[in-house]
Amino acid sequence: MYSTHAARHFSGSYAEARRKFLDAARERQATIDTFPLDGHTGALGEALATDTALLGAPGADKLLIVSSGTHGPEGFCGSGCQVALLNDADLMARLERAGVALLLVHAVNPHGFSHLHRTNEDNIDLNRNHIDFDAPLPVNAAYAEVEPFVLPAQWPPTEADRAAMAAYIGKHGVRGYRAAVTTGQYTAPDGVFYGGQAPSWSNRTMRAILRRHGAAARHIAWIDVHTGLGPYGHGEKIYPGRPDGLPRALAWWGADVFAPFEGTSASADVTGPVVTIVYDECPQAHATLMGLEFGTLPDQEVLDRLRADTWLRRHPDAPDVQQHAIRRDLRDAFYCDNDEWKGMVLGQARVVMLQTLQGLQKAGNAEKAGA
């Protein structure tokens, strides 16, 4: 199921992915909730929503959350993983025997999933939006310096734009350039990696979901599926939580867990990942978090396609041929539509699910033994 038949779990559009997810959830007799994104329609005119499927006892003390589509077209991969999980009778039986409830959150960012934007309906990067907006906003002073050549007046960039970028990299290094661009910024609403000025609809929705399903949990594991960073087909286990939770993540998932705050991950050390709301909404729980990141294209190529996507938002009057090419290229940057890649994804995702199940079970047993 995880190689030659992998393709059947994946989809070619948000509408198809949503249909497959809901059909599989109903087949499993899951409890389904739908959170409509009112006032917006999809690329095919379809309704947009974040959907959840809960299996296991409501209020269980051990909860596994698997979410998809935080970054729009990355949802093609995450949705495929969720549908495969729902069709995995052995793994579902193991969860049930262990008393672990499973909460699947499909399409955290339905607008971006459907319209092939990494950001949401307001150009907000949701993994930069889950912060305390009552406190001063994070400052990325370097962003203003790089934006003129990151988002130039025309696309493709001119030779002068490329020379300006090369000069910046020569002075600050590739790591400095990527940090300036990708860490997140809160000053340019039409810029790249914009974190917003207030909680987004998805932010508010995810908090409501967590309050509904996580209030009684003593142990929560949350895996948010992503794509676009790292070697082709490899699933990097990124730890996006607080430093004191890293030893537990290493114990559960192995030594190949990398934390952005240690500088060892393919991901920048960002402020405001979606999964970190568990600390606000479920303070009673021991939270173990992962961003499961599957590589697609070379990192610089992915970043360049993201730049083009943001440029297009600034230039909606661009020729139709160019618009289509940018949309297609962005989709391909986050979704490798071939059986080889899909098989690699599902095989690694299943290993992570089994490791997480074992970790939750041991944590619950240890707590009972110490009671």
Side-chain angles (χ1 to χ4, degrees), residues 15 20 40 43 62 94 102 175 180 201 223 241 245 254-255 270 341 353 357:
K20 282 187 178 180
H40 297 273
K62 300 184 292 291
R94 289 173 183 266
L102 174 66
R175 195 173 188 86
W201 173 85
I223 299 167
V270 305
W341 187 82
M353 297 304 165
L357 167 59

Side-chain angles (χ1 to χ4, degrees), residues 119-125 188-195 310 313:
T119 51
N120 78 342
E121 58 276 8
D122 300 311
N123 192 43
I124 292 173
D125 184 317
D190 59 353
V192 292
F193 298 95
Y194 174 60
T310 309
R313 283 201 163 195

